[in-house]
Amino acid sequence: MKSDKSENRFFETNLKDTLNMPFNSGNITLMLCSEGSSVVSIDFKERPFCKGDLAVVPDTMTLIPLESSEGFQAMVISVSPENCEEMEYKITDNLFWDFMCSHPVLHPDDTQYEMLKEWFGQMRWMMDNCCEKYLNKAISSSICTFFMMLYSELESVIEKSESDDLNTGRVGRLMSDFNSLVSRYHKKHREVSYYADMLSITPDYLNKLVKSQWKMSAKEYIDWQAVMAIKEYLTATDMPVKMIAIDMHYDDSSYMCRFFRKMTGMSPTEFREQNKKTDCP
């Protein structure tokens, strides 16, 4: 890879070496997950990022990887803002850019995913082999073509979101409110119906929204928050497991332990010991 030619780069990553650190460093980042799953923060909002997903993060938004599974792998294209000027000049639809800012993680279908893999491969070849004289122009043209195709694919989705109840603004507000409520109350309330009532919508409708936006059920998201909280107790405190269960409002610690093992594949004690070993030099 001839990354010394410009600020533009192609690379593959498992994110392990970049956890909890800003990832895009002032460049526009395109990331395609080819294996595994992870959690990323985009503008300080946590989002699942799984196999087949595409992240499109502009230079004005901060991307921070928070965790990644064993076997996680992603292809990354990092492009300087200067190489996106042609694209920004040709695509002037504010609805498109608003939609992209609200949906930085997209979920392509199988056909779209295969096409994206080919395009990422073409960009890699270009960055490795194109002579310096033509490289920036070639990248600018390819990025412009990519976003124009993305715009074409999303145009009907954006129009639909403006015309029916699942409009971008309403969905964005509901998802933001749901995320805030779960972050605040997941230690005590882990039923979908509780949050649906708080949002004045039905549990089925809440599940539909969460599925469409985050590719998981509302219950899966609530449980994920609960697991993250338990992990925080286990790694940041010396609280006994029984006390953690009380603080998390579980009926008994054995239920919490079964839940934690189901979600992570290990008991709370095993996780705590493994984390201690990992932290040791």
Side-chain angles (χ1 to χ4, degrees):
M1 181 173 66
K2 302 172 185 175
S3 58
D4 58 325
K5 289 182 178 179
S6 70
E7 298 176 9
N8 306 295
R9 294 193 301 149
F10 175 98
F11 57 95
E12 296 185 77
T13 180
N14 61 12
L15 296 180
K16 298 294 186 184
D17 295 332
T18 57
L19 295 180
N20 300 306
M21 295 186 292
F23 190 82
N24 40 337
S25 301
N27 274 11
I28 288 105
T29 300
L30 308 175
M31 183 159 59
L32 184 66
C33 179
S34 54
E35 294 293 339
S37 61
S38 67
V39 179
V40 296
S41 168
I42 301 178
D43 258 15
F44 309 102
K45 181 177 180 181
E46 294 184 12
R47 302 172 187 270
F49 183 63
C50 307
K51 182 177 180 180
D53 287 350
L54 171 69
V56 181
V57 186
D59 57 316
T60 55
M61 298 172 73
T62 303
L63 169 63
I64 302 175
L66 300 179
E67 60 180 70
S68 63
S69 68
E70 288 299 322
F72 176 86
Q73 199 68 223
M75 295 181 287
V76 179
I77 293 172
S78 179
V79 183
S80 67
E82 290 75 16
N83 285 109
C84 296
E85 289 177 352
E86 180 182 352
M87 169 265 292
E88 293 170 348
Y89 175 75
K90 290 184 176 180
I91 304 175
T92 58
D93 188 341
N94 287 332
L95 288 178
F96 171 71
W97 296 117
D98 288 346
F99 183 88
M100 292 305 301
C101 287
S102 300
H103 303 78
V105 176
L106 302 172
H107 311 295
D109 61 30
D110 291 342
T111 300
Q112 292 166 336
Y113 172 69
E114 291 301 321
M115 293 175 66
L116 284 166
K117 280 203 303 183
E118 290 183 14
W119 183 80
F120 269 72
Q122 291 169 3
M123 287 291 286
R124 180 177 195 171
W125 183 92
M126 185 187 303
M127 292 182 182
D128 283 353
N129 296 283
C130 190
C131 67
E132 187 171 359
K133 180 178 179 180
Y134 302 112
L135 180 58
N136 282 327
K137 179 60 179 175
I139 290 175
S140 295
S141 178
S142 187
I143 288 292
C144 184
T145 300
F146 169 83
F147 273 93
M148 290 182 75
M149 292 304 298
L150 189 61
Y151 180 36
S152 176
E153 289 292 304
L154 291 173
E155 192 171 16
S156 61
V157 177
I158 296 169
E159 288 176 356
K160 183 175 186 297
S161 70
E162 286 296 303
S163 62
D164 63 21
D165 188 48
L166 291 176
N167 64 80
T168 303
R170 176 172 167 76
V171 169
R173 288 191 297 273
L174 284 171
M175 297 307 295
S176 177
D177 290 345
F178 174 62
N179 182 59
S180 296
L181 288 169
V182 175
S183 297
R184 184 175 179 182
Y185 296 115
H186 64 273
K187 291 182 180 180
K188 189 172 183 179
H189 299 287
R190 288 178 287 273
E191 296 302 321
V192 176
S193 58
Y194 175 83
Y195 297 98
D197 288 344
M198 293 279 281
L199 294 167
S200 299
I201 58 178
T202 67
D204 285 346
Y205 186 56
L206 178 57
N207 264 315
K208 181 179 179 180
L209 292 181
V210 177
K211 278 274 191 182
S212 69
Q213 299 300 303
W214 295 344
K215 220 172 182 178
M216 62 172 65
S217 70
K219 179 59 175 171
E220 287 171 336
Y221 183 72
I222 296 166
D223 286 348
W224 173 76
Q225 286 275 22
V227 167
M228 294 298 292
I230 297 169
K231 286 182 177 181
E232 179 70 16
Y233 277 114
L234 293 169
T235 57
T237 78
D238 293 322
M239 286 178 63
V241 172
K242 286 185 177 181
M243 292 302 297
I244 295 173
I246 292 172
D247 220 43
M248 290 287 297
H249 294 268
Y250 283 98
D251 292 337
D252 59 72
S253 59
S254 61
Y255 179 85
M256 187 191 76
C257 290
R258 289 195 300 271
F259 165 75
F260 190 83
R261 181 180 288 278
K262 178 182 176 182
M263 297 292 289
T264 67
M266 63 183 75
S267 70
T269 302
E270 289 168 342
F271 178 85
R272 175 173 270 168
E273 288 302 313
Q274 179 173 299
N275 185 269
K276 285 181 180 178
K277 291 176 183 177
T278 301
D279 287 343
C280 290

